[in-house]
Amino acid sequence: MKEMPNVLWLEEIKKEDIISVGGKGASLGEMTSLGLPVPKAFVVTAQAFRRFLVETGIEDTLFRKLERLDVDDNGALESVSREVQDIVLSVEIPDQIREAIIDAYARMGENGEVVAVRSSATAEDLPEASFAGQQETFLNVLGDDDLLDAVQRCWASLYGARAIYYRAKQGFDDRGVNIAVVVQELIRSEKSGVMFTSHPVTGEPLTIVEGSWGLGEAVVSGSVSPDNYVFDLRSERVVDRLIAEKEIMIVPEGENGTKVVKLTPEQRTAPVLSDEEVARLATLGKIAEEHYGVPQDVEWAIVGDEIFILQSRPITTIRRPEIPRAGAEPAPEPAAALGVVLLEGQGASPGIASGRVVIVRDVRDTSTIKDGDILVTKMTNPDMVPAMRRVKAIVTDEGGMTCHAAIVSRELGTPAVVGTKKATKILQDGQVITVDGEKGTIYEGAVEAPAPAAPAAVAVAAPAPVITGTLVKVNVSLPEAAKRAAATGADGVGLLRIEHLILGLNKTPGWYVEHGEEEKFISELYSGIKTVLDAFPGKPVWVRTLDAPTDEFRNMEGGEVEPVEHNPMLGWRGIRRDLRSPEQFRMQVEAFKRLWAAGYSNLGVMFPLVNHPAEFVQARAMMKEWGVNVENVTLGVMIEVPSSAILIEDFIRAGIKFASFGTNDLIQYTLAIDRNNEHVADMYEPEHPAVLRLIDHAIKACREHGVECSICGQAGSDPDMVAWLVGHGITSVSANIDAVPRIREAVARRERQILLDAARRNA
């Protein structure tokens, strides 16, 4: 695989390219390959940004200024942010990168295409963290000079105060986060908005569509209270609608930028969408959700009869309800339950909180906010995120379920009410209020929610938790996501990827060996894995040893010695690299050994890309040599190569305790299909008979010998594939965090069907 270019077109991009094109770019590429109506675009890659830092000589200066920064010191945060952004903007873009951008832009249109220039950080739009609004977007950009300026300003926005703060609080290292930039045809939308393909709090199969007139920025930013439509995927009809009074719209202005236009009285109260348009949007959203396997947050636009999909990201905020509602008594009237109602809006993030009002009319007002206050503002913006983390509740004049305030509040777990229209006028600084973020009601004074009444003897029993014979585990990529993963009720972790821990350090394992910093590497690995183990006491946590291709290491410190491989996915990675780099392997084993010694007997170690039992035997022998009691720890292998599936019985004889299918690689290696190659990607077939036969063969062998057999690839988040696996006897499955409830239901349904079929046969 050749070095990543400075520019990639959407047609060349898949979701696996997130490290090069960021979450937004990867998603747009993936949706383009699905055939969804995505406007044409290209991406200035994260590698181009990193080359910009290196070739201009600003990299070391920039990161030195960010070291040891106390992000809770607002003054220091703002000062360092301005300094670092000025550094990025003070240098010229190198000629090679500049020419690549201009050449790609010329291909979009002969007379210059009007474009939107959107940041796409390589850690954003992940299931574990939304990074909503942390970097800049520039709309209505025309011409080479303005485009280059917008790209450079997107790069600089990676170091805005809000972005630095958010990364620090989410545990992301500044050196490990790069930024790509999406340059996309600007759709001059007549109406636009956002939809959630499932309810963003409960996860119910309800598509929530919010829309207003003009560009979607008005809805996303919370500048307008949008119409709200609820489409039930089960009955395939609009079951609820709220037509809001929309005061303004945002439209392109001249050849650069946007402007706010006041709506006419007729437009203010006119419905934005017809039922047919809502249904069409819901259908497109369902396609995206089924493809990704998790509910999606989708930005859309409409011009005439044509719908465009502008962005799709995982919903990060779905929570399973703690109290079942089946058979519950109707809630008492709010006034009787909590006191005098001051005003109402839309419940955007559940929970009840009381506190002192602080009216924020400008981001500078956030300096007066203390822990436990209630933030009241016309609308939030990303600059307010540090303050939003400190408050007990949030109330806004404008906005809907999909605005910035709603998304960030749900991610923080902070009660929020949006779209009240007059909170900043009715409420007063210092006033004590209570916010009910589920009902959308603000009450006078500090009042407590009544304790739930004891259920009457005749009340309907709450539904029992879904229990399955097949274990349903969860995949984890970052320690910060461990609590969310555990909250799903998963039966353990079927895949903990440690390469994300290592890539975040921005230094290769070889660098630590060469500089005598092995202890620092081991400690980072130990701490990250321990966080996940602590979230799953008594449940198995399978940690995959390092599986980073050489091209991912090349841009890190120490990466200059990495070999240049034609196709790194088929090259020096997985267990084959560890066996030939014993010092790299030894550091990982030392972290595992310390965790076992600390009593974490639920830790299992999984070797990736193993293609012969001899590799497992060698790895096991090296661990024994380094002091691991290999007979008493849990060691297993990934089945990602056809040879490992064919030789599964030999692996069992060699002593594996478990095996787990990595279907993404198994499919492409079985079919000789590079899923990132646009010429053959449509031939990538998860349910190809050869793939299914290999999986079935391995499952049968594992069951026969009492070895746990699981799956942790993308197919583990596909209900249909999981049902097939359960039918063929798999012991456990491991799904992405947001897919766990739906996968557990799919497993239970298939198990019940198996029992029913058996009963009928024996009747």
Side-chain angles (χ1 to χ4, degrees):
M1 182 182 292
K2 62 184 181 182
E3 193 174 54
M4 185 61 66
N6 292 318
V7 166
L8 285 174
W9 290 89
L10 292 188
E11 292 76 12
E12 303 174 277
I13 296 170
K14 296 290 184 294
K15 62 179 181 289
E16 291 82 8
D17 294 319
I18 190 169
I19 197 166
S20 297
V21 297
K24 193 177 284 101
S27 178
L28 287 170
E30 192 73 11
M31 290 190 298
T32 299
S33 70
L34 275 178
L36 291 173
V38 178
K40 61 185 175 183
F42 65 87
V43 179
V44 183
T45 63
Q47 285 76 12
F49 167 69
R50 186 59 67 164
R51 290 175 193 127
F52 163 77
L53 295 183
V54 173
E55 292 177 21
T56 56
I58 65 174
E59 183 181 32
D60 290 339
T61 303
L62 186 155
F63 289 124
R64 273 199 302 271
K65 287 186 177 292
L66 293 171
E67 290 174 357
R68 294 183 294 279
L69 171 63
D70 179 4
V71 297
D72 290 312
D73 182 337
N74 286 342
L77 176 62
E78 292 288 346
S79 176
V80 170
S81 170
R82 283 194 298 270
E83 287 180 39
V84 173
Q85 290 186 84
D86 287 345
I87 291 171
V88 175
L89 295 172
S90 68
V91 293
E92 294 286 335
I93 299 177
D95 290 345
Q96 187 179 10
I97 301 173
R98 173 188 293 266
E99 289 168 6
I101 296 171
I102 292 174
D103 288 348
Y105 182 52
R107 288 175 56 189
M108 291 187 79
E110 291 183 10
N111 299 317
E113 185 76 46
V114 179
V115 293
V117 182
R118 304 177 185 273
S119 301
S120 182
T122 58
E124 74 173 1
D125 293 348
L126 302 177
E128 296 82 5
S130 73
F131 279 70
Q134 295 306 307
Q135 283 80 42
E136 295 290 353
T137 287
F138 299 93
L139 303 176
N140 197 33
V141 176
L142 177 65
D144 293 350
D145 291 342
D146 284 347
L147 172 59
L148 292 167
D149 179 67
V151 169
Q152 197 161 356
R153 290 187 181 279
C154 284
W155 288 343
S157 73
L158 188 62
Y159 306 109
R162 66 198 186 204
I164 296 170
Y165 183 93
Y166 191 85
R167 286 196 296 274
K169 294 301 181 181
Q170 291 287 339
F172 289 93
D173 180 11
D174 286 306
R175 286 181 177 268
V177 179
N178 292 316
I179 190 168
V181 179
V182 178
V183 179
Q184 188 170 38
E185 174 192 1
L186 180 71
I187 301 302
R188 294 180 175 272
S189 46
E190 297 167 2
K191 39 194 169 183
S192 56
V194 178
M195 72 171 151
F196 288 146
T197 63
S198 293
H199 193 286
V201 176
T202 66
E204 292 176 272
L206 300 171
T207 298
I208 312 294
V209 181
E210 295 198 327
S212 191
W213 306 111
L215 298 177
E217 179 65 17
V219 176
V220 175
S221 68
S223 301
V224 67
S225 297
D227 287 359
N228 181 284
Y229 305 85
V230 180
F231 185 86
D232 192 325
L233 294 165
R234 294 159 293 198
S235 62
E236 296 188 343
R237 64 187 183 89
V238 176
V239 294
D240 194 13
R241 63 176 59 77
L242 171 65
I243 307 305
E245 184 171 346
K246 305 163 285 289
E247 297 181 1
I248 57 102
M249 66 176 173
I250 297 176
V251 298
E253 180 177 29
E255 294 186 353
N256 197 291
T258 59
K259 64 180 179 181
V260 175
V261 175
K262 288 191 174 182
L263 294 170
T264 65
E266 293 77 17
Q267 287 176 306
R268 287 185 180 189
T269 56
V272 172
L273 295 172
S274 66
D275 284 6
E276 181 190 2
E277 288 172 323
V278 173
R280 288 172 62 198
L281 284 166
T283 299
L284 294 175
K286 187 176 181 182
I287 292 170
E289 177 175 316
E290 289 181 346
H291 176 73
Y292 285 108
V294 295
Q296 295 290 296
D297 169 353
V298 180
E299 292 182 25
W300 55 268
I302 295 178
V303 180
D305 292 330
E306 196 169 3
I307 293 177
F308 296 92
I309 300 299
L310 307 180
Q311 186 177 337
S312 184
R313 63 172 80 84
I315 299 176
T316 60
T317 55
I318 290 176
R319 296 188 180 93
R320 305 302 288 178
E322 295 177 3
I323 303 172
R325 299 192 177 202
E329 291 294 321
E333 287 299 313
L338 293 180
V340 178
V341 175
L342 295 176
L343 72 162
E344 294 178 303
Q346 191 170 1
S349 180
I352 296 175
S354 300
R356 182 182 69 99
V357 168
V358 177
I359 307 287
V360 173
R361 305 188 191 281
D362 184 274
V363 70
R364 287 170 293 189
D365 297 337
T366 59
S367 61
T368 65
I369 288 177
K370 297 181 174 61
D371 290 351
D373 286 343
I374 292 180
L375 185 153
V376 178
T377 186
K378 183 175 182 181
M379 70 192 83
T380 66
N381 62 51
D383 290 313
M384 295 182 186
V385 169
M388 293 171 74
R389 297 185 73 98
R390 298 198 299 271
V391 299
K392 290 177 71 174
I394 294 165
V395 180
T396 70
D397 289 348
E398 304 292 350
M401 286 286 284
T402 59
C403 73
H404 177 269
I407 292 174
V408 174
S409 296
R410 288 193 293 269
E411 186 170 330
L412 295 173
T414 301
V417 176
V418 299
T420 64
K421 289 296 182 184
K422 50 190 178 182
T424 56
K425 296 173 183 173
I426 289 181
L427 303 178
Q428 303 294 320
D429 274 312
Q431 181 179 5
V432 176
I433 62 171
T434 297
V435 176
D436 186 333
E438 182 170 355
K439 295 185 175 67
T441 309
I442 290 89
Y443 303 93
E444 183 178 28
V447 291
E448 296 182 5
V458 295
V460 179
V466 178
I467 298 173
T468 59
T470 308
L471 298 178
V472 178
K473 302 180 184 179
V474 63
N475 300 330
V476 179
S477 295
L478 295 166
E480 293 79 17
K483 288 185 178 178
R484 275 192 71 232
T488 64
D491 299 315
V493 177
L495 170 63
L496 172 57
R497 306 174 179 91
I498 66 170
E499 51 268 14
H500 290 285
L501 286 170
I502 294 168
L503 292 171
L505 299 173
N506 208 38
K507 296 182 179 72
T508 65
W511 184 95
Y512 287 92
V513 173
E514 184 180 343
H515 291 79
E517 297 277 358
E518 292 100 326
E519 184 58 35
K520 184 174 181 181
F521 179 93
I522 294 166
S523 297
E524 289 280 354
L525 205 56
Y526 176 94
S527 176
I529 298 171
K530 180 178 181 297
T531 298
V532 181
L533 288 163
D534 286 339
F536 288 87
K539 295 181 179 181
V541 174
W542 291 350
V543 179
R544 187 176 69 186
T545 56
L546 185 59
D547 188 21
T550 51
D551 58 334
E552 293 184 7
F553 275 157
R554 199 170 302 122
N555 290 318
M556 300 166 63
E557 285 190 62
E560 59 276 356
V561 298
E562 290 293 310
V564 178
E565 297 181 300
H566 176 66
N567 187 344
M569 294 301 289
L570 293 174
W572 199 35
R573 53 173 284 224
I575 193 63
R576 60 184 62 165
R577 176 167 182 148
D578 275 350
L579 295 179
R580 297 182 189 179
S581 308
E583 288 304 304
Q584 171 179 298
F585 188 31
R586 183 189 59 77
M587 290 192 295
Q588 297 172 68
V589 171
E590 180 61 28
F592 303 149
K593 191 167 72 169
R594 293 181 190 182
L595 288 162
W596 281 317
Y600 291 102
S601 57
N602 55 325
L603 165 65
V605 173
M606 182 161 57
F607 302 126
L609 214 72
V610 180
N611 64 31
H612 194 283
E615 292 174 324
F616 174 78
V617 170
Q618 184 182 350
R620 195 167 180 262
M622 292 168 74
M623 294 179 76
K624 184 176 182 179
E625 182 183 339
W626 292 325
V628 175
N629 184 346
V630 294
E631 299 297 332
N632 292 329
V633 298
T634 305
L635 303 179
V637 295
M638 296 281 291
I639 302 177
E640 303 167 281
V641 185
S643 61
S644 59
I646 294 168
L647 298 176
I648 186 63
E649 290 182 318
D650 294 325
F651 277 100
I652 293 169
R653 282 190 284 271
I656 65 170
K657 299 285 182 67
F658 67 88
S660 184
F661 297 108
T663 50
N664 296 346
D665 280 342
L666 182 62
I667 295 162
Q668 66 174 350
Y669 297 152
T670 301
L671 306 181
I673 299 297
D674 178 358
R675 63 181 187 271
N676 296 324
N677 183 327
E678 63 179 302
H679 301 295
V680 295
D682 61 335
M683 300 169 65
Y684 180 81
E685 188 180 345
E687 296 180 6
H688 189 285
V691 175
L692 297 181
R693 190 172 298 180
L694 285 170
I695 292 173
D696 182 57
H697 168 73
I699 291 174
K700 285 178 179 175
C702 286
R703 288 193 71 84
E704 184 179 340
H705 293 89
V707 170
E708 183 173 351
C709 188
S710 188
I711 183 169
C712 57
Q714 185 61 37
S717 297
D718 178 351
D720 292 337
M721 183 64 176
V722 165
W724 183 90
L725 290 165
V726 171
H728 284 252
I730 201 162
T731 322
S732 65
V733 298
S734 191
N736 297 331
I737 293 175
D738 288 327
V740 169
R742 143 168 57 187
I743 292 304
R744 189 178 292 282
E745 289 166 4
V747 169
R749 191 160 45 247
R750 184 68 180 104
E751 288 179 345
R752 287 195 296 269
Q753 187 63 53
I754 291 170
L755 292 172
L756 181 60
D757 290 346
R760 285 170 175 166
R761 283 195 301 271
N762 295 327

